[in-house]
Amino acid sequence: MTVIETALAQAAKTVPCYWPLTSFIAYHPLWEMHAQDFPTAIASLQRVAPVEALASVADYQAAYTRGLITEEGIAQACELLQQPYHPGVIGKQLAQLSDKALAAPHFPYSTHWTVAQNGKYADTIRSELINFLAPFFTSLSLPLAPERKESLWEAWLSYLAVTDVKHAQFASHLQGSTTLDTLVAALTALGVAAEYWRDYLASIFHQVIGYAALMKWLNQNPQNPFITVHAPLEQLLAIWLSYECFVLARHPKFANRAAAKPKTSDATWPLRYLLQCAVEFSYQHRLLAQLSARRALPVAPTPLAQWVFCIDTRSEGIRRHLESVGPYQTFGFAGFFGFVFTLQNQACLDQIHCPALFGPEAVLQVQQSPRALRQAVAETMQQTLLTTQKSPVAAWAFVELLGVWYGLAMFTKSFFPRLFARLRAWLLRNPQEVEVGPSVELSAVGDQYPLQAQVEGAAGFLKAIGLTEHFSDLVVICGHGSKTENNPFQSSLDCGACGGNTGYTNAQVAAFLLNQPTVRAGLRERGIVIPQQTCFIAALHQTTEDHLHFDRSMLAATHKPLLQRVQRDAARAGERLQQERAHSLPGQAPAADRAVNWAELIPEMALINNAAFVIAPRALTTGIDLGRRTFLHSYDPVLDEDGQILRTIMLGPVVVAHWISAQYYFSTTDPQRYGSGNKMLHNVIPGVGVMEGNLSDLKLGLPWQSVGFQDHALHQPLRLTVVVYAPKARVDQILNSEPQLSALFNGQWAHLRVLEP
Amino acid sequence: MLLTLWLLPLFCALVYWLPAPKSRPLYQVSMVGLLAGLAVMIYLGVLGKYPPDWSLTLLNQPHWLISLRLHVDALTLSMLTAVLLIGLLVINYAQRYLLADAHQQRFMFWLTALLFAVFTLLMSGNLLTAFIGWQWIGFNLYWLLNHYHYDSDANRAAKKKFVINRVGDVCFLVAVSLSLFAYGNTEFSSLAQPNMPVNAWILGLLLVAAITKSAQFPLHIWLPDTLQTPTPVSAIMHAGVINAGGYLIARLGAAYLQIPALMVVMALVGLVTMFSASWFMASQADTKKRLAYSTMSQMGFMVLQAGLGCFVGALFHLIMHGFYKAWSFLNAGNTLYPTTTKLKPTKLWQVLVALTLLASLALFAVSAGTLWSKLLWQYPLLGFFMGFTLWQLTVTVLRQPAAGWVRAAALTLFYLAASGYGWLLTSYQQFVAKALPVPVSSLSTHTQGLVAASLLGLMLLHAGLMRVATSYRQRLMGWSLRKGGVEQAFRAYLLRPYRALGDRLVNRPKAALALQLWFVLLVILTLAVTKLGLSWQLTQWLAGACAVSMLLLFAAANRANRLRDRCVGLVLGQACLVLITLLLPQPVSGHLALFQLINLGFTGVVLMLIFLKMQRAERKPVVIGNQFPATATYFTIAMFCLIGLPGTSTFVTELMVFHVVLQAEPALLFVLMLGFVLLAVAILHILQDFLFNRRAVARFDVPLLAVEHVIFVVTLGYNVVSGLVPLYFLF
């Protein structure tokens, strides 16, 4: 590899990977840096951008006063960081510390202009660039937007040709035979020494981190259904550098400014890092104490029904309450339930129902429910309105002609949001669709998966959760999804394992296949005997109001009374969970209103305060209130002699949960860079994401309203603690054979605790 | 009755400052108050009887009368109802939307206070009252756009909006002075007198004001930047506030009809704006900026309607557009997913069906003889656009991928809605009939027909060229992407030279010293001239020198490095104004100079106290977030007292100076207008540099003693009182 290739590859590692907001998937912003350990990675990142990776001093002080940092935790943290421990000293040091919030930004290389002109030129270049990038990536078809040529660079040249002719000429002179040549030419012209290239390029990425992250995703997923343009990351650099060179050519007086030496990062870091570890260890102590002091409820010998939920932390709450209202047994598995697919819908974009780690295996269709006349007419009218109001000439008289109807709609939607939601549902969709979203056309599922895959998927699913015998008559597979209105971040509230969509369709597919006689026959060959009378059905846990909806289409007629009982209990459990959650949500609005109110910015808090991932049979955690902070994956060490199941869990769900946890973590510690800032300012770019206000970079991560309230964080940023209930030797074996995983735990990105059975 | 209605939003706004730990009930009080106001309005509208005017005479001189007047008629009532309705919806929305904002109360106060300012404009019975409302709207919006005052983007947008609007405001103020000068009063009715050449000036200046307020090309550049603020502000601004220009034009409709040239200018501005904005919109990707340009384009259509003399259409458009745009902004979070289906290609029979339907609708309208049909015939240009929309609706429905009878049903419903529109417009026209002049077209039906035909031709040509000629498309694209190049030109030819001038004055010690010495010389000369009574010509030259020095001082105050230097520049510039008044020997000028000197002195005291406070306070580098410290509030009020917000003493001075200059030396008028705009520029720049950013605002966070609070309140209060009841102090 040449020097520039190495520098580019290294610099690209500092860029997160960002899925478009239509399919929001939690991603660890520093995932590709996890070969280094946490402090080293942060330090190397802080050389190029003012990244904040720890909570503020005030937060630690508050945690200390509230007793969330114990002396025991501090002692353990000191041991980890190889510092001497003296009881009480850290507490005193903490009390004397204050936030150096106004410290000068300590990033040295961030282009000549940032240094020379106090960020003025970098700001100018950024806004010029964003002006071009937003229309380039959006899914809107704009008549006067820059053309999408073969690649980003070409499109940018043709954009320049109509907006800034001088710069266009300059850029075509600068252009080399390849983009890398252009980069080298520009870097040489700017006088950046080759040893600094990596940092220089990385700092450019961090100037437009949002679009860089989107382009990284685009390059990894060129076949995605959302954005179909060619935009390699190095072209973004080439464009930025071209701006820099162009400014330099016109203002040569900046040329002599050498890149400054990196300043040391702020002095509070060592203590804050120690406290961060201490907070996490303190939490672990509490969790492990809870687990070891468990008082297992007497599990009913034959549960009334068995439930499989997503590992999502919100499922912990509903599982706990379900078990408390009736004789139920619950399991946890990643929300795609063993079957991944692309869901095609005529009316809108394809949805990819699969976790970020692998691709879909089948293409399924949405079930087209028959429409009433009013629905067809309303649909036609709505589509006509959408088209006509976009038409430039028709729009003028259009608002005059039909404005009064918008006034009426606005009045109803403001003062009677629930009535409006019901009316719109009545007019546009079937009630079933409104409550649970689209359903899968199940008749075609069998053709899409070969029988072998069906049986393997089903067997893997059942074995992983340890449900291979003692089936009850009814097994409910329950996905989850949210209900929210006027919220571009809706998909961040849905199931991440289903690609930011609801998990209902995946549950449907799993339940359907598990009911198939052919599949059951195949399972029998593998030693899993599902009794004749066992029936699998799909359900949806709607997490905003905590309602459970059941798909009755697969229900055997004999099971109807049973389902009625189950439904009653589910409603009670949902109510209890709702009461429990209501305390922790800001504001007093009832959940039913939050779900439909268009002014609501906090419909629910999703996976807030997630902190641990427990891989264990449910018996270990039954009856303990884990406060909706843990991912729970069912696992029976007895059924997994060779450790294959554990290996799959560690490589799949644990990594995804780690991403989720990291996203919450960094959205809290650095809400402007890795979080998407203030939701009140969000300005949607259709098909891509949001920006803040009239011109800003594309925003990554979660909005502040998802992790905090007013001026304080509600999410306690903790790195994920993974608790495994398995023989230590088995875990060690897996870690030894998977360097990626061991890097995660050894590099302080996450913690691992093993409980011996 | 009228007074209560007018002050209602103010009370509702003040409610938010009542101390209450749990502020939810307070919000309800405010909402109930506004709802009661809405009920009263609907009651008045149904009854058809309007309360008598309320007026307050501020000054009654032999030749002129300054008074405030509140007036309600059908026109006012219809606009008030629409604004209050939209305001209520937005306030209701904001209560939930800003829950996660620690400073929601401050936001809600300014939002409701904005309604009060709009009420003042809508209920105004004369130009002076209208101006007061007009300027308060700008002031309120400045605060709303500055809600995140530490965010430099938000502040830059707010400043830009205020400055560009200030150009219009100063024009408005001159129009008020002209009216006082020519008629001795500021009544709307005086402007409608025929054959008065001064009316052309007054109405022309008011037209400039309306153009800035309603974001017409080329003074639109502030509009797309104003999105750095919570969504409800955008909703109320684009649905309610931006209509102020249109309302003013319609209110003065009878007067504008007297001056056809202005009507033609209006129509042209509207046409240019509506097309250019729709092109700008076609180059933007993000929802809110697209909506902003859509507003601009719609305002262009409204101004076109007014320019053709169809004021009822313009007003109706304003209200309907308000509903549509408020909905669009509040619903902006729903636009992430592309939703439109693919349309089938157009077929010949569909074109024929659409033509037949349109023709039959036109025939029906004519035979029904409604106002709607009259309007369409009298204003073929508007009929053309309405026809185009119906055409588009029809063809789009026919091209939908749905069953035939579904499309037929949808089409029927759309046509029913269209006839409903005709009925609604007719009823509206009947409702406001008395308050609005009879529609008379400025362009004859014949001309309009020609314009419509050529527009159709041009549009077809445009559509064809867009498909065929790449270079045409590229050029139009480049122009739209640069947003017409207005901003670049404005920066290159006005802003940069002005700043360079300021820099020269400030950065060279000799220049600064010379400026100060020159000022002292001016003072001495002025005193000498007034004492000795030298020749009138010399006095004129001296007054001119003072005016130019004022400009230079403001230019310097705009660029100085230290806050204190800037304030010195401002105060000296204002002192030049006093000198000018002294030099122009009018009966009021002596009083006026004294009045301004006293007030200037008080403001200076406030500023000095604040500086002292800040200097003594220890520098603590803390971030105070979105709080706004008390000292900063006093500082801002002092600054706005200097700008000349209605209700402060400088406003009185500005009005009177214009009056004096008009009588003595009209040539100075333009210099003074420029001076007042530059004054606002300098002051807003001070606020931007020294107050509205995270680092600076913390410096204002110094504890104040109770006695200091009293001093600040009394001094600033004196200024405000002398601005509100000025003339008792003057004479």
Side-chain angles (χ1 to χ4, degrees), chain A residues 21-23 99 101-105 131 134-135 138-140 142-147 158-159 161-164 346-349 373 376-377 379-407 409-411 413-415 420 424 485-488 490-491 586-590 593-594 597-602 678-689 691-695 705 708-711, chain B residues 22 24 31 85-86 88-89 92-93 96-102 148 151 153 224-231 274-275 278-290 297-298 301 305 313 316-317 320-324 326-327 330-341 343 372 385-386 388-390 392-393 396-397 400 402 405-407 409-410 413-414 417-418 421 424-425 459 466 470 473-483 621-623 694-695:
Chain A
L21 205 48
T22 46
S23 170
D99 273 308
L102 281 179
N131 242 337
T138 181
S139 60
L140 283 178
L142 302 170
L144 290 175
E147 282 172 77
S158 75
Y159 165 79
V162 295
T163 51
D164 190 346
Q346 287 175 353
C348 51
L349 286 178
L373 173 64
V377 175
E379 172 80 25
T380 308
M381 288 180 78
Q382 192 196 25
Q383 290 299 332
T384 310
L385 292 182
L386 286 174
T387 315
T388 316
Q389 75 191 29
K390 273 185 205 153
S391 149
V393 177
W396 291 313
F398 172 84
V399 304
E400 202 170 320
L401 197 63
L402 298 170
V404 66
W405 298 102
Y406 285 91
M410 182 164 58
F411 185 80
K413 201 170 178 178
S414 289
F415 292 115
F420 184 84
R424 195 176 57 178
E485 167 61 23
N486 201 17
N487 183 3
Q490 160 146 38
S491 58
Q588 284 122 23
D593 188 62
R594 286 176 196 268
N597 197 316
W598 63 340
E600 182 61 64
L601 293 184
I602 315 170
N678 185 351
K679 222 172 170 180
M680 284 178 254
L681 289 175
H682 278 174
N683 182 356
V684 173
I685 305 169
V688 179
M691 58 185 191
E692 243 186 20
N694 51 311
L695 200 68
Q705 277 82 355
F709 183 66
Q710 298 190 343
D711 47 7
Chain B
K22 293 232 169 197
R24 300 298 292 175
M31 282 291 273
L85 198 59
I86 291 172
L88 263 172
L89 293 172
N92 180 50
Y93 189 93
R96 179 70 69 86
Y97 198 76
L98 272 94
L99 191 69
D101 192 312
Y148 298 113
D151 177 352
D153 285 340
D225 287 7
T226 51
L227 301 171
Q228 212 77 21
T229 178
T231 314
M274 60 198 265
F275 278 99
S278 76
W279 286 325
F280 299 159
M281 181 179 156
S283 68
Q284 296 296 320
D286 53 293
T287 305
K288 284 188 180 172
K289 226 179 296 143
R290 286 173 64 79
S297 172
Q298 297 284 352
F301 186 64
Q305 280 179 312
F316 192 72
H317 188 88
M320 291 302 143
H321 169 256
F323 290 143
Y324 171 77
W327 163 273
L330 298 183
N331 206 26
N334 270 335
T335 51
L336 182 67
Y337 298 88
T339 41
T340 41
T341 50
L343 295 174
W372 185 31
F385 287 114
M386 184 56 76
F388 195 93
T389 301
L390 281 170
Q392 190 87 1
L393 273 176
T396 314
V397 169
Q400 292 285 339
W405 41 279
V406 169
R407 282 180 284 168
L413 285 173
F414 274 129
Y421 156 76
L424 215 59
L425 180 59
M459 274 156 49
M466 283 285 282
T470 323
R473 190 173 171 279
Q474 293 281 319
R475 267 160 206 267
L476 189 62
M477 190 169 88
W479 188 75
S480 307
L481 285 168
R482 278 182 282 115
K483 291 156 200 113
V622 288
V623 176
R694 206 178 269 272
R695 205 178 291 229

Side-chain angles (χ1 to χ4, degrees), chain A residues 344-385:
Chain A
Q344 285 187 336
N345 191 349
Q346 287 175 353
C348 51
L349 286 178
D350 292 354
Q351 298 176 346
I352 300 179
H353 285 251
C354 94
L357 287 171
F358 41 90
E361 290 166 359
V363 179
L364 302 180
Q365 304 292 328
V366 165
Q367 189 182 25
Q368 297 296 333
S369 45
R371 274 163 199 272
L373 173 64
R374 61 162 194 281
Q375 288 166 345
V377 175
E379 172 80 25
T380 308
M381 288 180 78
Q382 192 196 25
Q383 290 299 332
T384 310
L385 292 182

Side-chain angles (χ1 to χ4, degrees), chain B residues 677-699:
Chain B
V677 174
L678 295 182
L679 172 67
V681 173
I683 286 176
L684 292 178
H685 201 189
I686 286 177
L687 292 177
Q688 181 184 25
D689 283 354
F690 296 97
L691 183 59
F692 287 129
N693 63 61
R694 206 178 269 272
R695 205 178 291 229
V697 75
R699 289 180 52 212

Side-chain angles (χ1 to χ4, degrees), chain A residues 241-466:
Chain A
L241 285 172
S242 162
Y243 273 113
E244 276 194 35
C245 291
F246 184 56
V247 178
L248 183 73
R250 292 200 299 180
H251 303 277
K253 63 178 170 172
F254 298 128
N256 298 327
R257 304 214 175 218
K261 280 258 152 54
K263 289 180 195 165
T264 46
S265 56
D266 73 299
T268 61
W269 167 274
L271 186 60
R272 283 197 295 154
Y273 188 59
L274 181 90
L275 288 162
Q276 179 62 34
C277 296
V279 176
E280 284 155 8
F281 290 136
S282 309
Y283 170 74
Q284 281 173 17
H285 293 151
R286 285 198 303 280
L287 176 69
L288 293 179
Q290 268 186 313
L291 290 185
S292 56
R294 71 192 182 277
R295 48 180 179 83
L297 292 180
V299 177
T302 44
L304 199 58
Q306 285 158 328
W307 300 72
V308 187
F309 283 95
C310 178
I311 54 172
D312 194 284
T313 57
R314 285 166 285 185
S315 300
E316 191 271 329
I318 191 74
R319 287 173 71 177
R320 174 158 39 88
H321 286 290
L322 262 178
E323 286 162 352
S324 74
V325 295
Y328 296 110
Q329 193 181 6
T330 63
F331 298 88
F333 189 81
F336 61 90
F337 303 119
F339 297 95
V340 290
F341 49 86
T342 301
L343 191 63
Q344 285 187 336
N345 191 349
Q346 287 175 353
C348 51
L349 286 178
D350 292 354
Q351 298 176 346
I352 300 179
H353 285 251
C354 94
L357 287 171
F358 41 90
E361 290 166 359
V363 179
L364 302 180
Q365 304 292 328
V366 165
Q367 189 182 25
Q368 297 296 333
S369 45
R371 274 163 199 272
L373 173 64
R374 61 162 194 281
Q375 288 166 345
V377 175
E379 172 80 25
T380 308
M381 288 180 78
Q382 192 196 25
Q383 290 299 332
T384 310
L385 292 182
L386 286 174
T387 315
T388 316
Q389 75 191 29
K390 273 185 205 153
S391 149
V393 177
W396 291 313
F398 172 84
V399 304
E400 202 170 320
L401 197 63
L402 298 170
V404 66
W405 298 102
Y406 285 91
L408 274 177
M410 182 164 58
F411 185 80
T412 324
K413 201 170 178 178
S414 289
F415 292 115
F416 311 99
R418 283 181 235 183
L419 173 71
F420 184 84
R422 230 175 291 152
L423 263 178
R424 195 176 57 178
W426 182 78
L427 268 177
L428 287 172
R429 288 193 294 177
N430 291 332
Q432 172 76 6
E433 279 175 48
V434 174
E435 289 305 330
V436 299
S439 297
V440 176
E441 182 58 57
L442 290 169
S443 58
V445 170
D447 308 335
Q448 282 288 325
Y449 295 96
L451 186 60
Q452 182 74 9
Q454 293 178 15
V455 175
E456 267 173 20
F461 168 53
L462 291 177
K463 271 191 186 161
I465 58 176

